[in-house]
Amino acid sequence: MDLRVEHRPDTLGLTTARPRLSWRLPPGAAEQAAYRIRAGAWDSARVASDRSILVPYGGPALRTGQRVEWTVKVWTDLGESDWAAPARWEMGLLEPGDWTADWVAPPGTGGLGAADPYPVWLLRGSAVLDAPVERARLYVTAHGVYEFFVNGVRVGDGELTPGFTSYRSRLQVQTFDVTGLLRPGENALGAVLSGGWVTWRRWTRLHDDLGTGLLAQLHVEGADGVRRFGTGRDWTAAAGEIRTADLQQGQVVDFRAARPGWCDPGADPGGWAPVRVFAADPARLAASPAPPVRRTEELRPVAVTAPRPGVQVVDVGQNINGWLRLADLGPAGTTVTLTYGETLDAGGDVTTGNIRPGEPGPEADGLPWDFAAESGAAFQTDRVTSAGRAGDVFEPRHTTHGFRYVRVEGHPGRLSADDATGVAVHTDLRRTGWFDCDDERINRLHAAVVRSLRGNACDIPTDCPTRERAGWTGDWQVFVPTAAFLYDVAGFSAKWLRDLAAEQRPDGVVGHCAPESTGPEIQTALGMPPGSAGFGDAAVIVPWEIYQAYGDRDLLAEQWPSMTAWVDHAARTAAAHRHSRRVAARPVPAPHERFLWDTGFHWGEWNEPGGFADAAPGGGAASLLAALASADHGSVATAYLHHSAWLLARIAEVLGRDGDAVRYRLLAEAARSAWRAEFLRPDGAATPDTQATYVRALAFGLAPGPLRPRLAERLVAHIRDAGTHVGTGFLATPFLLPVLAATGHLDVAYDLLFQDSEPSWLTMIDRGATTIWEHWTGLDASGAPAAPPGAGSLNHYSKGAVASFLHGHVAGIRPCRNAPAYRRFRIAPRPGGGLRRARAVHDCPYGRIESSWRIARDTFTLDVTVPPGTSADVRLPSGHAVAAPPGRHRYACALPTARSAR
């Protein structure tokens, strides 16, 4: 019955006071009538309810370290089930008093001014045990990135632990079962500690007062009770083989400086110095609701070339986030330099010109976009010096890089594919969605979307794994519906939303990124203050989409203050301020302007062809930001004020906040009326007269019903006038094809999907993309980075939201309104584009959904799988509709005579 706790199977170190339990119904069951849970000492008895996901534990208060075995039985239309095979969870440290360890820091280090680049330290302590161990748990966190060892054995398989959070409000604690690693007598405890997320983007000086540090506590249970050991004054520190590490610069290793056996009992104490100690703050320590970052895939190189003397290039075959593991390091004293990039130059060598900060182009202009712009420091570069020892392998686990290609310099021999391994590293999300069809290019496009999500889910949803690797709010809000189909991102998104809320200003302003690596003072000084429409709206849109995908009502309640603070800020700003151009044109404000949000800094329809970003190369970044700051973004911002207020009204209904539902519904209606009055003419023309404006008007319900066909026709006219090319940026692209399909222009949607000249999705695929590009024109026809405004990151998932059209329209799987977690869903395939076959699968919280269709001799055949406890509304292309109960079903119909062909 697939028992889960807080969206996950067996959980260790949980800090949620009352965990929520989920299960799936027996195969063939249509509906649950009741359940009975046994969890530890708690027996719920028989509860009449159809609820089977996220049911709160209702037993006695849970204690620190408590292990709870639980099971469930259900009553359905099939009768009473057997008890499910038991699962278990274990609580972490729940009370501040449970922590007795102190923070320890390497000697002579403080904040970010300590050293550049940043050193990596070995930290060591011990635990002496005089009795056999029955159970042992290790609780660890850090300012920075740590690897922990017990008696020389690495603990766990997590990478970049403890992960990236709003450090001043929350630090993630990992819990490990180390029972099998301990023994009577002395046990060596050790850690490798680097700066990690604390020290990246150093020009911002965001975490100056934090510095690097480690907090660890070992609980050992035996016949004589529980003993605790923790980091403290008896710990020591020393330098080791990892000399420096930085998440963007890379890692430097000198195997000649290794300390063999440094974490073995009785290791040589020579060269070790006392640590600095400071008190812990347990209030901000908690377990993460997200899965850990792990090494998830190993890639054998597809080629190793030598474009010029002294240089070899390793091609791992696809763009990933991670690193290269190198086994052949050469003779002692050999220093090998690895430079990571997403593409090659004309000579076949690795280039970072499309991603390196500070090089000529829109990222320059004297603004400190990153440390490399100021210091000329290495970027995405690792360096390793060999000790000549057999068995030494270089694997830089205190950094990651976005890359497909690696330049290897300084190696005296000829490398083969057996000497190097590409290692993909990302949050180990559970795969839940698949798609395939009979067009290989579309399949490759879908695979590129999947890879982009994987490469940018690295404890936070990043925009790219290279120059920024920041949790841009606008990027995740447009992509999260696609992500939630492909992977289980429930806990991953909940963790991110808590950081967003923690860093939200008291006035409700939401940052451009979460966590924010660039302080608001610096952003303001650069001319890009936080609070952008479509980006800050992630505070509302992401919780709603997670609720739709997983039924997590508690997340809506938790995020309610954040959501309302953002929308209230937008409404206050609309009422209090007017754009200078509007004041000049209309000195006396019209009544609707009270709800017109037209001031402040906004990114707008970012990366729209012909938009602000395209104009940047001539004037540089400062000119771009100045143009964005002075522009009238009222059409975009007011549309989002309406949309988020409308979502808030629906969320208030879910939470039983009837008064708030009325208030935000009225605000949504007022913002919609203001948008119509200012930006929509009676003939259906909108301002600005762009594809994005019409898409947004149709997707957000801004246009009156009678005008919707006219707006759709104008959208189609713009598309055809552009040679049937996409003309939208980040915010509108996810809605483009669905809007066309919904307004009777399915043929145009398929024409755009199959367009293979730029700008288009298939241009990326035809030019060798294995991930989605930031710009529509990332590489030119020769495969070289396109001149600005092209190039940019080649692993940027935002435009990959087109995959939702494949899932929801080509294959036809879509959730129904007011039926979260796919309790009720729609299967309505919309074949077109010459496709003869398509299939999508989604593992929703209730079980597996499948829609698979094929066309043979003008007969359309659809196979559908409906999981237990759900129902589906199936609609065939002929218009025939049927309600499908749980189980597998086949339907067929003759195709309509008018059908799109490409």
Side-chain angles (χ1 to χ4, degrees):
M1 293 171 68
D2 190 24
L3 305 189
R4 287 157 286 150
V5 180
E6 290 296 323
H7 300 287
R8 299 174 61 184
D10 293 2
T11 303
L12 192 66
L14 199 63
T15 53
T16 302
R18 292 198 173 274
R20 298 168 301 169
L21 313 178
S22 303
W23 57 88
R24 290 180 177 174
L25 303 187
E31 186 176 12
Q32 175 182 289
Y35 66 80
R36 181 181 177 184
I37 298 171
R38 287 178 176 169
W42 175 54
D43 189 327
S44 71
R46 190 180 191 273
V47 178
S49 172
D50 64 354
R51 188 174 178 182
S52 60
I53 62 172
L54 301 175
V55 177
Y57 164 79
L62 297 166
R63 306 181 309 277
T64 285
Q66 183 176 348
R67 287 159 287 173
V68 180
E69 184 175 276
W70 76 285
T71 184
V72 64
K73 68 162 51 180
V74 296
W75 287 261
T76 70
D77 53 301
L78 302 179
E80 180 180 351
S81 75
D82 294 330
W83 288 102
R88 58 193 53 80
W89 80 82
E90 182 175 305
M91 304 305 291
L93 304 185
L94 302 180
E95 302 295 334
D98 294 332
W99 284 96
T100 58
D102 290 317
W103 280 97
V104 295
T109 64
L112 288 177
D116 186 3
Y118 286 92
V120 179
W121 294 87
L122 304 178
L123 303 175
R124 191 178 69 183
S126 66
V128 178
L129 304 176
D130 53 11
V133 176
E134 296 178 2
R135 183 175 79 117
R137 297 293 183 262
L138 177 69
Y139 307 94
V140 194
T141 189
H143 287 163
V145 168
Y146 76 84
E147 296 176 76
F148 208 93
F149 296 81
V150 173
N151 292 328
V153 178
R154 185 172 182 240
V155 175
D157 59 359
E159 303 294 347
L160 304 182
T161 48
F164 189 25
T165 56
S166 177
Y167 279 148
R168 292 189 177 92
S169 60
R170 181 176 293 101
L171 268 174
Q172 297 178 150
V173 175
Q174 283 77 44
T175 302
F176 302 101
D177 181 351
V178 294
T179 307
L181 299 180
L182 298 174
R183 62 196 186 195
E186 181 186 1
N187 291 268
L189 311 177
V192 181
L193 178 68
S194 62
W197 295 105
V198 172
T199 56
W200 87 299
R201 281 198 170 186
R202 62 209 58 194
W203 60 269
T204 68
R205 299 295 190 261
L206 177 62
H207 300 298
D208 259 356
D209 58 329
L210 292 177
T212 55
L214 179 76
L215 179 67
Q217 190 163 300
L218 174 67
H219 289 202
V220 181
E221 294 182 17
D224 56 348
V226 178
R227 297 189 63 189
R228 300 180 183 182
F229 305 86
T231 46
R233 297 187 182 279
D234 57 334
W235 278 59
T236 55
E241 63 197 46
I242 306 178
R243 313 308 290 172
T244 65
D246 182 277
L247 288 179
Q248 288 180 304
Q249 281 180 278
Q251 184 168 316
V252 176
V253 171
D254 187 343
F255 278 110
R256 297 171 301 180
R259 294 177 175 268
W262 69 271
C263 193
D264 291 339
D268 181 6
W272 292 76
V275 295
R276 294 185 303 113
V277 177
F278 52 101
D281 177 16
R284 61 190 176 111
L285 304 180
S288 173
V293 173
R294 290 191 175 103
R295 291 169 285 177
T296 61
E297 185 179 9
E298 295 191 353
L299 302 173
R300 178 182 171 84
V302 297
V304 180
T305 60
R308 53 189 173 88
V311 170
Q312 300 180 71
V313 173
V314 178
D315 177 3
V316 300
Q318 59 183 255
N319 208 356
I320 64 172
N321 178 58
W323 52 69
L324 192 75
R325 185 167 65 228
L326 193 62
D328 182 356
L329 304 180
T334 300
T335 296
V336 177
T337 301
L338 310 176
T339 301
Y340 299 75
E342 296 181 318
T343 189
L344 303 176
D345 64 18
D349 195 2
V350 173
T351 177
T352 59
N354 65 309
I355 52 174
R356 181 180 172 87
E359 293 200 352
E363 303 288 350
D365 200 33
L367 292 176
W369 288 99
D370 213 298
F371 63 85
E374 293 181 334
S375 65
F379 175 65
Q380 292 219 138
T381 300
D382 296 331
R383 203 163 63 247
V384 55
T385 300
S386 172
R389 282 191 301 267
D392 278 352
V393 174
F394 176 63
E395 185 166 6
R397 290 200 298 265
H398 287 254
T399 187
T400 61
H401 308 294
F403 72 101
R404 172 176 173 170
Y405 305 97
V406 184
R407 178 196 300 130
V408 182
E409 298 175 274
H411 198 287
R414 186 74 169 93
L415 294 175
S416 73
D418 294 330
D419 299 319
T421 303
V423 181
V425 178
H426 58 84
T427 298
D428 194 9
L429 303 171
R430 179 175 63 92
R431 184 77 183 265
T432 58
W434 297 264
F435 172 87
D436 69 273
C437 66
D438 60 324
D439 190 289
E440 187 53 35
R441 290 195 300 173
I442 299 300
N443 291 338
R444 286 163 53 202
L445 171 63
H446 190 269
V449 174
V450 172
R451 290 193 197 99
S452 278
L453 172 56
R454 291 174 57 195
N456 282 291
C458 193
D459 203 58
I460 63 170
T462 61
D463 62 324
C464 63
T466 53
R467 70 177 189 275
E468 292 182 8
R469 62 178 67 194
W472 283 89
T473 48
D475 295 43
W476 192 236
Q477 74 89 352
V478 300
F479 191 75
V480 70
T482 307
F485 188 95
L486 294 170
Y487 284 91
D488 183 346
V489 295
F492 178 76
S493 296
K495 176 261 180 189
W496 182 78
L497 284 167
R498 288 167 186 168
D499 290 323
L500 181 150
E503 298 189 347
Q504 191 171 3
R505 286 189 345 201
D507 63 359
V509 169
V510 173
H512 299 313
C513 304
E516 187 58 84
S517 58
T518 306
E521 300 83 2
I522 295 174
Q523 292 178 355
T524 301
L526 293 176
M528 45 178 278
S532 173
F535 285 68
D537 292 276
V540 179
I541 295 170
V542 175
W544 174 252
E545 292 295 342
I546 295 302
Y547 171 71
Q548 289 292 97
Y550 305 104
D552 196 340
R553 182 182 179 277
D554 294 332
L555 182 65
L556 295 180
E558 178 184 340
Q559 297 298 124
W560 177 259
S562 170
M563 292 188 277
T564 55
W566 165 253
V567 173
D568 291 348
H569 153 74
R572 286 194 308 270
T573 304
H577 303 284
R578 300 177 71 209
H579 195 275
S580 58
R581 294 176 193 169
R582 193 159 280 106
V583 172
R586 191 163 58 218
V588 178
H592 70 265
E593 289 190 58
R594 179 185 172 193
F595 300 99
L596 195 68
W597 185 13
D598 61 354
T599 58
F601 178 88
H602 303 280
W603 296 106
E605 187 63 23
W606 183 248
N607 268 348
E608 180 181 29
F612 288 99
D614 281 10
S623 298
L624 168 62
L625 295 181
L628 287 169
S630 63
D632 178 0
H633 294 285
S635 176
V636 175
T638 306
Y640 270 96
L641 174 58
H642 157 74
H643 185 58
S644 285
W646 177 74
L647 288 180
L648 264 187
R650 295 184 65 183
I651 292 167
E653 291 173 353
V654 172
L655 297 178
R657 306 179 70 104
D658 297 339
D660 289 320
V662 171
R663 179 163 68 96
Y664 286 110
R665 190 176 301 112
L666 291 174
L667 174 59
E669 292 169 356
R672 181 176 59 190
S673 296
W675 190 92
R676 291 174 178 174
E678 194 71 21
F679 304 112
L680 185 63
R681 296 204 316 247
D683 64 354
T687 304
D689 191 26
T690 64
Q691 288 187 33
T693 302
Y694 293 105
V695 168
R696 204 160 12 252
L698 293 164
F700 288 0
L702 293 166
L707 280 184
R708 286 180 63 83
R710 294 187 189 179
L711 267 72
E713 289 165 5
R714 295 187 75 93
L715 170 60
V716 170
H718 275 288
I719 293 169
R720 295 305 192 194
D721 288 346
T724 311
H725 288 98
V726 62
T728 52
F730 276 24
L731 295 181
T733 293
F735 304 105
L736 176 59
L737 302 192
V739 156
L740 289 167
T743 55
H745 300 284
L746 181 66
D747 58 332
V748 183
Y750 272 106
D751 287 346
L752 284 176
L753 177 64
F754 281 99
Q755 176 61 260
D756 57 8
S757 61
E758 64 184 33
S760 70
W761 289 281
L762 289 188
T763 296
M764 304 182 196
I765 301 306
D766 289 345
R767 293 181 181 174
T770 60
T771 48
I772 301 299
W773 297 344
E774 176 181 9
H775 296 266
W776 288 111
T777 51
L779 300 179
D780 64 23
S782 71
S793 165
L794 300 182
N795 193 351
H796 219 95
Y797 53 60
S798 298
K799 293 180 173 68
V802 68
S804 284
F805 179 78
L806 304 178
H807 307 148
H809 289 79
V810 177
I813 300 175
R814 280 177 279 168
C816 289
R817 183 175 176 174
N818 300 324
Y822 293 85
R823 183 69 177 269
R824 186 163 167 248
F825 57 93
R826 180 178 296 109
I827 293 185
R830 305 287 302 277
L835 293 176
R836 308 289 294 180
R837 176 187 64 79
R839 173 179 177 266
V841 174
H842 177 59
D843 284 339
C844 79
Y846 292 97
R848 174 156 290 194
I849 299 169
E850 183 173 353
S851 171
S852 177
W853 59 262
R854 64 187 181 276
I855 296 172
R857 294 188 294 276
D858 291 326
T859 297
F860 179 90
T861 303
L862 173 67
D863 290 304
V864 170
T865 300
V866 181
T870 71
S871 62
D873 298 332
V874 178
R875 181 174 291 272
L876 301 178
S878 63
H880 179 68
V882 62
R888 293 186 60 85
H889 311 281
R890 173 168 288 181
Y891 308 96
C893 71
L895 282 173
T897 54
R899 184 164 48 86
S900 168
R902 77 175 187 270

